[in-house]
Amino acid sequence: MTHDTIVLGAGMVGVSCALHLQARDQAVALVDRRATGLETSYGNAGIIQREAIEPYALPRNLGFLLSGATNRRVDVRYQPADAARMLGPLWSYYRNSAPGPLQKISREYETLIALSLETHQQLMNDAGANDLIGGSGYVMLFRTERELHAFHQVADARAQHGVQHIKLSSADVAREEPSLIGSFAGAVRWTDPVAIRSPGELVQRYAQLFEERGGAVHLGDAMTLRRTDAGGWQVDTASGETLTARQIVIALGPWTTQLTSRFGYTAPVIPKRGYHMHYAPVPGKALNSTVIDAEYGYVIAPMQKGLRLTTGAELANVDAPRNPAQIEAAEQIARQSFPLGERVDAEPWMGTRPCMPDMKPVFGAVPGVAGMWCAFGHGHQGFTLGPVTGELLAAMMTGVVPRVDVRPFSPARFA
């Protein structure tokens, strides 16, 4: 069972890395403790966010900070003991969210986002997955004129970078989404993003494409990773096989540094957990587009399983006990505006976004560890940025010059 590369982690990022390495004539094995696409890649809002040319910065206004401290906001919550352990990275996050640093970070971040639709579309075509597309664009919904007009400035600024949008009045919103309850100041419809009706299934289609092209997918424990006497890598599968490869890619999302730290590399990951729940549609009350409630930070997305409500961020360790308070608060507010039927899921799904203090993903060679590469830290955009990350990492690993400057995303920046 000898390969050129073993990829640990079968979410959107890991599967994309495996596919692009395979396209460069590498013999690749893909390993995960679960079936493909069942961790963080499964539970998101299903949007390929071409408009997201700026990462999610930490709001620096006093009102947000004071209200956040109460731990009652719908968009951001925290588990106190876990948040206390994150104070160092959170302080760096706060500093990087200042206008000056954020402008530089956004310029670098945009080089990846600009390729997100192109790289996804190629894989969707190859995987025969275009049937999962639920439409183009999504709606940012506003309740107040003040917030709406402030966001118009954001939309106009992004238009200078080629990101398209349509400004919707209150009447436009009522016409486009007649099933919404109540009236709203207006909305901004981003027209470039693509909505996917089952994000977990899209990852699975990509994994099936990898297998059809001769790739091997295994269940196994990444923590069995070890060096060989010859300087390569080995990992055990659940079926008792031992896989061996010259190189290893660690794409385990929020668990990545748990493994890399055993080999001397760590980085300050800020785990942002999120929850979702599906609801049966109300007969005759369809939602035509994915909608983000800008005031409260939750998303309502039409999915194959029903309407999916996804929450904002909960600052908590990946192994911390679940806390349903955030999704219950979001549901209570969402039911006042959206046609949500009965709950479909037995309990809320939960996943963890691996976020970095500088808001940029981490991919490239792990410093000081020969033959080890990593791809993690995509924050809220792992689903969007998986394919472009896979392309750029595969180029680096095979000695090809990537088509964008990858230095801003190097793991060495945290060494």
Side-chain angles (χ1 to χ4, degrees), residues 394-415:
M396 286 188 280
M397 292 178 65
T398 55
V400 176
V401 177
R403 56 174 165 155
V404 301
D405 184 2
V406 296
R407 290 174 296 180
F409 315 105
S410 170
R413 72 188 194 268
F414 295 115

Side-chain angles (χ1 to χ4, degrees), residues 169-198:
S169 67
S170 178
D172 293 331
V173 171
R175 182 170 55 254
E176 291 200 9
E177 295 292 349
S179 296
L180 290 178
I181 304 165
S183 61
F184 300 88
V188 169
R189 173 180 287 281
W190 296 112
T191 58
D192 294 313
V194 171
I196 302 297
R197 291 301 187 239
S198 179

Side-chain angles (χ1 to χ4, degrees), residues 64-380:
F64 173 85
L65 296 174
L66 291 176
S67 62
T70 67
N71 210 16
R72 294 182 179 178
R73 292 184 65 95
V74 175
D75 53 350
V76 178
R77 299 257 177 140
Y78 61 91
Q79 297 202 17
D82 294 343
R85 287 190 286 269
M86 302 176 201
L87 286 178
L90 286 171
W91 174 242
S92 295
Y93 184 17
Y94 178 81
R95 291 170 57 198
N96 284 321
S97 298
L102 181 60
Q103 185 179 41
K104 179 179 183 297
I105 289 167
S106 295
R107 285 197 302 268
E108 297 165 342
Y109 194 82
E110 185 181 359
T111 64
L112 303 181
I113 289 291
L115 299 175
S116 59
L117 286 182
E118 170 194 331
T119 49
H120 261 289
Q121 192 60 67
Q122 182 61 58
L123 291 183
M124 283 193 283
N125 291 341
D126 292 348
N130 287 305
D131 60 299
L132 296 177
I133 296 175
S136 296
Y138 72 89
V139 172
M140 288 286 293
L141 188 65
F142 293 87
R143 289 179 169 79
T144 69
E145 293 285 346
R146 177 175 174 273
E147 295 296 329
L148 175 65
H149 292 151
F151 197 74
H152 283 173
Q153 297 179 28
V154 173
D156 290 340
R158 294 190 187 183
Q160 301 303 311
H161 295 258
V163 177
Q164 306 300 313
H165 72 278
I166 299 172
K167 296 180 178 70
L168 303 178
S169 67
S170 178
D172 293 331
V173 171
R175 182 170 55 254
E176 291 200 9
E177 295 292 349
S179 296
L180 290 178
I181 304 165
S183 61
F184 300 88
V188 169
R189 173 180 287 281
W190 296 112
T191 58
D192 294 313
V194 171
I196 302 297
R197 291 301 187 239
S198 179
E201 185 174 345
L202 183 63
V203 179
Q204 292 162 11
R205 298 279 189 94
Y206 290 175
Q208 290 168 10
L209 176 64
F210 171 71
E211 290 186 280
E212 290 167 3
R213 291 174 170 175
V217 179
H218 300 270
L219 295 178
D221 183 358
M223 295 303 167
T224 64
L225 180 68
R226 58 194 179 273
R227 279 286 199 186
T228 67
D229 292 338
W233 299 96
Q234 287 185 334
V235 68
D236 298 332
T237 71
S239 61
E241 298 170 300
T242 296
L243 307 178
T244 303
R246 293 184 298 105
Q247 301 187 104
I248 192 80
V249 175
I250 303 179
L252 296 172
W255 298 277
T256 296
T257 56
Q258 292 182 14
L259 181 52
T260 62
S261 63
R262 290 173 39 194
F263 299 91
Y265 176 77
T266 189
V269 178
I270 301 171
K272 291 184 182 179
R273 300 204 308 192
Y275 298 81
H276 84 219
M277 172 62 69
H278 289 101
Y279 302 84
V282 175
K285 299 288 185 179
L287 190 67
N288 297 318
S289 298
T290 296
V291 179
I292 296 181
D293 186 328
E295 182 176 351
Y296 293 104
Y298 64 84
V299 183
I300 303 290
M303 294 281 175
Q304 290 179 347
K305 198 175 178 180
L307 292 178
R308 175 182 290 186
L309 183 155
T310 71
T311 66
E314 178 193 38
L315 297 175
N317 290 338
V318 292
D319 57 352
R322 292 169 177 252
N323 185 347
Q326 187 177 32
I327 194 164
E328 289 173 356
E331 178 182 326
Q332 183 177 0
I333 293 170
R335 285 192 179 278
Q336 299 173 27
S337 302
F338 292 88
L340 302 180
E342 295 297 316
R343 285 187 168 191
V344 173
D345 304 318
E347 62 178 1
W349 176 92
M350 185 193 75
T352 304
R353 312 172 186 97
C355 303
M356 309 309 295
D358 63 2
M359 295 164 276
K360 296 181 295 188
V362 183
F363 58 88
V366 174
V369 189
M372 178 180 283
W373 304 74
C374 64
F376 70 103
H378 293 75
H380 295 255

